[in-house]
Amino acid sequence: MRRLWLRLSLLGRFSLLSLLVVLALGTVVAVVLHQRIERRALLDAERTGMALSHVASRSVLHPSDLDAPVTGLRRVELDVRLADALRRSGALRVKLFNRSNVHVYSDDHAIIGRDGGPKTLTALQRGKVFSHVAHGVVDNGRGVRALEVYIPIELVRKQRGPDGVLEIYLPYEAVASDIADDTRTLVGLLAAGLLVLWLSLFNIVRRASRRLRRQALHDDLTGLANRARLRDHGAHMLEDGRRENHTAALLLVDLDRFKEINDTLGHDQGDALLCEAADRLRDVLRHDDLLARLGGDEFAILLPRLPHRGAAAELATRVRAALERPYALAGVTVEVEASIGIALYPEDGDDVAELLRRADVAMYDAKHNRSGIEAYDRARDPHSPERLALLAELRRAVEADELVLHFQPKVALPSGAVSGVEALVRWQHPQHGLMPPGEFLPLAERTGLITDLTRWVLDAALRQARAWLDDGLDLPIAVNLTAANVLDVSMPDVVAEMLERHGVPGDRLICEISENTILADPRRTAASLQRLRAMGVGLALDDFGAGQSSMAYLKDLPLDELKIDRSFVASMGGDASDAAIVRATIDLGRHLGLRVVAEGVETGDVYADLAGLRCDVVQGYLVSRPLPAGDLRAWLGSRRQADPATAL
Ligand code: C2E
Ligand code: MG
Ligand code: MG
């Protein structure tokens, strides 16, 4: 029973409960109504009985009639004057009792002389009229119902209390059928009223419950499914797919510049963009795909029936193209980029939650690598057992000084003099050998270990700077910071404390941050950078051009250096537009009073081109690969020997 109840929907439970309550209420009201109608009929009967008895007792009865059972002529006289008169007025039977509760007269002669019952006694004692419905009393149990009215009578005025009781039976059947008719009408009306009430309540609750259900499973803004619906409905879709042996995929889509648009154009325009994005997604998908908005600028797409594995990536490409078409918002045309992570079912996860988690890992990679679309790769998943093991090792490595810094020199143009070095971290892994930062930094970034790692790098870099200074080598050293470092409010204090500890002047340190780091939270980033600047620390904008640049940040941030991303520099010889970008960036930097550094210089031609464009500094394999501190010392020595002008 309990289980049955629990299986009922909320609406089902409400209907059943309210129906029972309405039925119970209806029954109680019907019974009360019936009783009231009957009571009224009895009161009417009492009034009739009293009127009749009044006439009879006044004009016909004598006090002596109550002395003893009447006989003979007096009985005949009472038959005619009392009983017949009352019968003509509608009475069915007449009885007269004296104070001793003895039948002194009745039109049923057989009972004259018999004792009366308790009711007569009650009427005698109370001296009040009362009545009730009797069954089958008149025609010897033939089932005729009658109203029995007991009327105390006073024939001798002096006496206190009634002298006797007149009992009159009045017909009930007609009254009963009137009562039944009235009751039926009232109960009918009542039932109809209650039914209308119940139906309207049912309707209100049904509509409210539908609305609640919709709200619970859909996103208010776009009308798409929400996370709960993706989980529930998605589970069924996967289950159906499994039965039919289908491959499925979950795509997690994130709009890259949404926050910026929301902040600059306002929330209404942000909402409009999301609705438009939802519409475009709907257009790209088939009707049996499930599209959900998970919150903010994040959407999920469940593709339950893939013709082949590659279809997920093909669709992701179409989704990305659709989302990246320009949007017209409040008279402004804006563009967003989308990053998409793909997780395949069943290999990457066998439920929606697992697929979502894995697609999220892939989406993070897509964002981080700026590739736009990535499929889940277990080797890059910070939560996979292998990565978790690696993370534990990395944590130990930071503590056990297994990390090493390599230093890549930067040279000024046109002199070729070494102007400083960039410190680049590597992991000297006991089994895997020297690991490049790309293999472990994303892991550290996603887990918070980056804070300790950066402290280690700063400490090691400044210790090295101190050692060089002691050696008479004044070599400014650049260190890379990530978004988490810049947003960490304690970071400037840590830098100050380390500069102090190693006795390195602030202006010998340069902090490099990438454009994407600034975009994470421009205001907090600016505040952090101002504090570093106040210590004399130099600031460089790294990988310029590769991220989502905004000229506004360039103007507002306290920068010293602009580092052109190596992707433009490497190809500037063969690609005219890359060359144009490099040229424009050099001009831009010069006008903003910034030192421009070209990264990734690998050939003499590029070097010459950059010199021609009056780029300030170059860095790249052509000059030197990143080197351990000892090798760098040797490199500097040999460079001095070869060309004393280019040495420090
Ligand atoms: P980045 O800061 O832009 O550093 C320059 C990267 O370009 C280095 O890669 C360097 O080896 C490479 N590179 C320099 N010249 C050339 C060239 O001519 N050709 C090519 N193909 N590559 C060149 P690396 O050391 O693998 O570092 C990659 C990225 O990892 C860095 O890019 C930086 O963003 C990050 N990174 C490295 N060390 C650290 C660190 O200590 N902390 C943080 N937060 N990030 C670091
Ligand atoms: Mg750098
Ligand atoms: Mg760079």
Side-chain angles (χ1 to χ4, degrees):
M1 186 70 186
R2 201 180 134 74
R3 207 176 298 157
L4 201 73
W5 178 249
L6 288 177
R7 270 182 35 205
L8 273 180
S9 68
L10 212 59
L11 183 63
R13 286 189 212 173
F14 163 79
S15 317
L16 205 67
L17 256 183
S18 57
L19 194 65
L20 285 177
V21 169
V22 165
L23 278 178
L25 205 73
T27 312
V28 168
V29 173
V31 167
V32 168
L33 272 177
H34 179 79
Q35 280 174 351
R36 293 203 69 135
I37 295 171
E38 192 174 271
R39 182 76 217 128
R40 173 131 319 151
L42 285 170
L43 280 175
D44 280 352
E46 283 171 14
R47 241 176 261 132
T48 312
M50 266 164 68
L52 291 179
S53 80
H54 196 69
V55 178
S57 56
R58 277 268 172 86
S59 54
V60 181
L61 292 177
H62 299 312
S64 58
D65 292 334
L66 298 172
D67 294 343
V70 290
T71 51
L73 260 180
R74 182 61 185 156
R75 197 173 75 185
V76 175
E77 201 176 346
L78 286 182
D79 282 348
V80 175
R81 293 193 56 204
L82 182 68
D84 286 354
L86 287 175
R87 265 206 217 101
R88 272 196 302 280
S89 303
L92 299 172
R93 170 128 305 157
V94 184
K95 294 176 183 177
L96 183 64
F97 302 86
N98 64 10
R99 281 180 64 80
S100 314
N101 196 17
V102 172
H103 284 82
V104 287
Y105 171 74
S106 171
D107 56 340
D108 178 4
H109 293 171
I111 59 173
I112 294 179
R114 285 194 203 159
D115 282 344
K119 289 190 187 101
T120 346
L121 210 53
T122 313
L124 279 168
Q125 282 161 359
R126 286 210 209 130
K128 277 192 191 151
V129 176
F130 79 88
S131 57
H132 74 109
V133 178
H135 293 264
V137 280
V138 180
D139 289 343
N140 292 333
R142 270 197 291 127
V144 180
R145 285 181 297 173
L147 287 164
E148 273 183 19
V149 190
Y150 297 86
I151 310 138
I153 48 172
E154 281 179 14
L155 296 177
V156 186
R157 290 201 174 264
K158 291 167 279 173
Q159 277 191 352
R160 278 222 219 119
D163 304 314
V165 170
L166 189 63
E167 185 186 349
I168 302 171
Y169 287 15
L170 293 170
Y172 183 62
E173 291 306 335
V175 179
S177 94
D178 280 354
I179 290 177
D181 283 352
D182 287 355
T183 311
R184 250 195 308 277
T185 313
L186 276 169
V187 168
L189 283 174
L190 182 73
L194 287 176
L195 189 71
V196 169
L197 174 75
W198 184 79
L199 280 176
S200 14
L201 275 178
F202 177 81
N203 233 346
I204 291 171
V205 173
R206 191 187 50 179
R207 255 184 272 142
S209 107
R210 265 205 208 140
R211 203 174 43 240
L212 281 177
R213 248 180 89 76
R214 232 199 109 65
Q215 273 171 1
L217 296 176
H218 289 84
D219 166 46
D220 272 351
L221 179 68
T222 57
L224 297 180
N226 62 10
R227 194 179 283 274
R229 182 158 166 77
L230 175 70
R231 195 185 46 225
D232 296 352
H233 194 55
H236 290 128
M237 289 165 78
L238 289 180
E239 185 56 39
D240 292 348
R242 189 203 312 262
R243 245 177 275 128
E244 293 159 30
N245 250 340
H246 279 295
T247 298
L250 192 127
L251 270 53
L252 198 65
V253 183
D254 188 274
L255 303 181
D256 290 345
R257 287 183 57 220
F258 177 71
K259 189 178 171 326
E260 201 188 317
I261 289 167
N262 215 21
D263 289 349
T264 34
L265 296 184
H267 290 268
D268 286 350
Q269 297 309 320
D271 286 355
L273 186 141
L274 288 174
C275 291
E276 169 75 27
D279 287 343
R280 293 185 189 183
L281 287 171
R282 277 194 198 98
D283 289 346
V284 175
L285 301 178
R286 288 196 319 221
H287 79 278
D288 59 346
D289 300 335
L290 178 61
L291 172 60
R293 177 172 169 230
L294 305 183
D297 54 0
E298 205 172 55
F299 297 88
I301 302 167
L302 186 69
L303 309 167
R305 288 185 177 77
L306 285 181
H308 54 91
R309 278 176 169 60
E314 283 165 19
L315 187 95
T317 311
R318 287 214 304 282
V319 163
R320 194 153 176 259
L323 290 176
E324 294 187 351
R325 284 201 316 269
Y327 296 77
L329 297 177
V332 187
T333 304
V334 298
E335 285 182 23
V336 294
E337 278 167 27
S339 298
I340 303 179
I342 305 172
L344 290 176
Y345 169 89
E347 48 262 60
D348 294 336
D350 57 7
D351 62 37
V352 176
E354 186 71 1
L355 289 174
L356 263 178
R357 216 183 52 65
R358 302 251 151 122
D360 186 53
V361 170
M363 204 260 295
Y364 180 87
D365 283 342
K367 234 182 225 301
H368 200 257
N369 306 341
R370 301 201 203 99
S371 53
I373 299 171
E374 289 285 347
Y376 173 73
D377 178 356
R378 193 179 165 83
R380 288 202 307 259
D381 184 348
H383 306 286
S384 74
E386 298 87 339
R387 291 265 107 179
L388 285 177
L390 194 69
L391 182 67
E393 283 185 60
L394 180 58
R395 193 164 282 134
R396 257 197 319 277
V398 175
E399 286 158 16
D401 271 350
E402 262 177 36
L403 300 181
V404 286
L405 287 186
H406 283 190
F407 301 92
Q408 187 174 36
K410 301 191 263 187
V411 300
L413 291 178
S415 68
V418 176
S419 65
V421 292
E422 177 172 6
L424 295 159
V425 72
R426 276 99 182 85
W427 180 3
Q428 189 62 60
H429 193 277
Q431 282 93 45
H432 308 314
L434 194 68
M435 285 167 69
E439 284 185 24
F440 59 91
L441 272 183
L443 189 64
E445 275 173 32
R446 291 200 72 171
T447 52
L449 184 58
I450 191 69
T451 308
D452 287 345
L453 191 144
T454 302
R455 281 180 195 205
W456 183 93
V457 170
L458 275 167
D459 189 50
L462 291 174
R463 183 177 305 120
Q464 186 59 61
R466 180 70 256 163
W468 282 330
L469 280 174
D470 292 343
D471 234 6
L473 206 59
D474 187 2
L475 211 50
I477 196 161
V479 165
N480 292 281
L481 301 181
T482 64
N485 300 141
V486 178
L487 296 179
D488 174 4
V489 283
S490 67
M491 190 270 303
D493 298 331
V494 170
V495 173
E497 190 262 322
M498 285 194 184
L499 286 169
E500 165 102 34
R501 174 145 37 104
H502 293 290
V504 175
D507 62 2
R508 299 292 85 190
L509 176 68
I510 297 169
C511 288
E512 294 192 4
I513 50 164
S514 70
E515 291 179 280
N516 293 342
T517 303
I518 297 167
L519 282 180
D521 190 340
R523 218 165 313 161
R524 273 173 70 190
T525 306
S528 252
L529 298 189
Q530 297 287 7
R531 288 176 63 198
L532 288 173
R533 190 55 175 313
M535 299 171 211
V537 173
L539 299 170
L541 190 58
D542 205 356
D543 307 334
F544 183 74
Q548 296 142 355
S549 336
S550 168
M551 296 298 159
Y553 302 139
L554 271 187
K555 179 168 68 65
D556 294 340
L557 291 174
L559 296 171
D560 301 282
E561 191 173 290
L562 210 57
K563 296 188 78 176
I564 313 174
D565 191 68
R566 66 171 184 267
S567 57
F568 304 109
V569 177
S571 50
M572 68 183 278
D575 186 324
S577 45
D578 279 353
I581 290 174
V582 172
R583 192 177 317 119
T585 311
I586 292 172
D587 279 351
L588 177 73
R590 186 169 311 122
H591 283 112
L592 291 173
L594 303 175
R595 185 169 58 240
V596 181
V597 181
E599 294 186 298
V601 179
E602 294 185 1
T603 64
D605 289 349
V606 170
Y607 188 96
D609 287 350
L610 288 166
L613 292 171
R614 299 193 10 244
C615 180
D616 300 304
V617 179
V618 292
Q619 177 182 352
Y621 291 171
L622 178 75
V623 179
S624 166
R625 288 188 173 257
L627 300 169
D631 295 357
L632 182 80
R633 197 80 176 93
W635 180 84
L636 284 170
S638 62
R639 195 172 166 84
R640 188 178 304 164
Q641 262 182 359
D643 181 359
T646 60
L648 278 177

